[in-house]
Amino acid sequence: MQDTWEALQQAAERELAAAGDVQALEAWRIEYLGRRGRLAQAMRGLGQLPPEARPAAGAAGNAVKAALTGVYDARKQALAAAEQAPVEETAAFDVTLPGIRPRVGQAHVINQVMAKVMAAFGQLGFRATDGPEVEWDRNNFTLLNLPEEHPARDMWDTFYVGNVGKPGEVLLRTHTSPMQIRVMEQTEPPVRVIVPGKVYRYEATDATHGWMLYQVEGFAVDCRVTMADLKGTLTQAIQLIFGRERRTRFRCDYFPFVEPGVDMAMECHVCDGSGCGVCSSTGWIEILGAGMIHPQVLRNVGYDPEEYSGFAFGMGLDRIAMLLYGIDDLRLFYDNDLRFLRQFR
Ligand code: DAH
């Protein structure tokens, strides 16, 4: 048995010395030290020896195993070191070469505009929150005074995504207005909240329409909130965003969740109101819809319209961004062409 161990060790050491790279080394390890390797096989063969011979033979086998493991480790380290060496040599570099300028990232232009809008309303006492893009019909329509079969539901071409209870019960929100319901159901007045976020519409895409766009919803409810608060707050906010001198204009408009409803326009920031291509020669640019929250909406969330009143507004962030930067095609925002996006530092 002693001879067998010695022969095994010698053969192993000879072959190990010849293993010139990591693959050969691994093959050697499997051949000799592996679970089915030659050493393990020889150990299993010990069972055939007479009982009194087994301990000594086993001890000799273990010694061989320890020796081979030791030389294996040493060989492995030597090979690893040899493979490192050339890298260290080539790592020497010419410090006089021009450097590689690291690419610095930046917020997407829509996020930058969102931050600007949020900062403006933040100054006016609004807190920001967000909500789910997948919404219940109830929040997106019904409780906003758009009961089923209400014709004004046609104002929004809707992506319906599921029907938990009945047809079309779950949808992609068509506007951020359902957050009025969610926030008011959870909060007692006074509330002053803005909600930026994505909304979705089943719409053919062109320069001014997308199937996804960003909106900012805002609303304030308290005792004795009036139309004057609406006009003052929104005028202030638009001036913070577009510049102090902008005049604003409010005209009647219809939205089922407000009464009265208005659309707000600002004096064209390109021609200062004298008329140009951007404002279609009117001098005015429409930027948002707003109004006094409909008493039925207040009742729907458990507010008493005799005690509380409020105003609400919703604007398209993409549109604000287009106006701020004179961009004429909304699709540019989402094509993610870095040559376009990098301009907005
Ligand atoms: N949700 C409306 C839309 O997407 C915009 C809007 C209009 C929001 C009037 C309001 C509002 O809160 O009072 O077209």
Side-chain angles (χ1 to χ4, degrees):
M1 196 65 207
Q2 198 60 36
D3 296 348
T4 322
W5 289 128
E6 254 166 47
L8 187 62
Q9 183 167 358
Q10 276 167 17
E13 285 178 358
R14 212 180 316 113
E15 276 180 42
L16 182 65
D21 57 25
V22 178
Q23 282 94 331
L25 186 68
E26 179 60 7
W28 179 92
R29 188 191 62 76
I30 293 166
E31 165 87 11
Y32 285 97
L33 297 178
R35 248 174 348 107
R36 286 164 219 247
R38 307 227 316 228
L39 201 65
Q41 267 169 21
M43 286 297 225
R44 271 193 290 275
L46 294 183
Q48 261 108 55
L49 293 178
E52 62 288 358
R54 283 183 207 163
N62 282 332
V64 171
K65 182 169 186 186
L68 288 184
T69 306
V71 287
Y72 165 78
D73 286 342
R75 183 83 187 133
K76 190 170 168 179
Q77 270 177 25
L79 279 179
E83 277 177 23
Q84 283 292 303
V87 177
E88 270 161 28
E89 273 157 32
T90 54
F93 61 92
D94 181 353
V95 291
T96 64
L97 285 174
I100 299 167
R101 193 181 287 276
R103 286 204 178 168
V104 180
Q106 74 193 71
H108 189 278
V109 53
I110 294 292
N111 280 324
Q112 292 183 37
V113 172
M114 188 190 288
K116 202 172 166 103
V117 171
M118 283 164 69
F121 282 99
Q123 261 177 277
L124 298 169
F126 286 73
R127 89 182 158 84
T129 185
D130 63 2
E133 291 162 22
V134 179
E135 187 50 284
W136 299 104
D137 178 299
R138 148 193 202 277
N139 295 338
N140 196 81
F141 289 130
T142 311
L143 297 188
L144 285 170
N145 207 24
L146 280 144
E148 248 177 89
E149 315 304 336
H150 193 294
R153 285 193 176 209
D154 292 347
M155 287 167 73
W156 296 274
D157 292 313
T158 310
F159 284 115
Y160 290 96
V161 294
N163 43 5
V164 175
K166 56 181 164 39
E169 197 173 359
V170 182
L171 43 76
L172 296 183
R173 65 179 179 189
T174 58
H175 48 183
T176 40
S177 305
M179 282 305 288
Q180 291 185 32
I181 303 297
R182 283 180 179 267
V183 171
M184 290 195 284
E185 279 186 337
Q186 303 287 325
T187 329
E188 285 302 311
V191 290
R192 259 193 247 122
V193 174
I194 58 163
V195 190
K198 288 178 186 160
V199 306
Y200 300 85
R201 297 184 183 178
Y202 182 59
E203 197 140 23
T205 304
D206 65 23
T208 53
H209 297 84
W211 52 268
M212 186 281 290
L213 52 136
Y214 277 85
Q215 283 193 337
V216 177
E217 191 78 11
F219 49 100
V221 185
D222 203 347
C223 304
R224 293 187 297 278
V225 172
T226 69
M227 193 82 186
D229 297 309
L230 180 160
K231 291 177 73 176
T233 306
L234 293 179
T235 300
Q236 277 279 315
I238 290 307
Q239 290 180 344
L240 285 169
I241 297 164
F242 284 95
R244 277 277 156 223
E245 308 74 31
R246 295 291 132 227
R247 291 194 301 153
T248 52
R249 178 190 74 181
F250 294 85
R251 294 193 304 187
C252 288
D253 201 349
Y254 172 71
F255 300 97
F257 28 91
V258 284
E259 181 58 36
V262 296
D263 86 57
M264 179 190 182
M266 70 168 184
E267 202 177 37
C268 177
H269 60 303
V270 175
C271 62
D272 285 330
S274 58
C276 68
V278 173
C279 57
S280 331
S281 309
T282 62
W284 295 98
I285 292 177
E286 286 169 21
I287 39 186
L288 56 82
M292 299 305 293
I293 299 177
H294 198 290
Q296 186 56 48
V297 174
L298 294 178
R299 258 179 247 121
N300 288 345
V301 297
Y303 288 4
D304 178 0
E306 299 296 323
E307 195 180 344
Y308 295 114
S309 56
F311 65 83
F313 56 91
M315 65 179 118
L317 261 186
D318 308 77
R319 188 162 160 69
I320 303 279
M322 288 169 86
L323 292 171
L324 271 174
Y325 296 113
I327 292 155
D328 56 11
D329 194 329
L330 163 124
R331 289 168 291 196
L332 288 166
F333 291 136
Y334 306 111
D335 284 349
N336 286 333
D337 184 335
L338 290 178
R339 291 169 303 178
F340 172 76
L341 294 175
R342 285 216 185 97
Q343 297 174 85
F344 305 97
R345 291 227 177 246

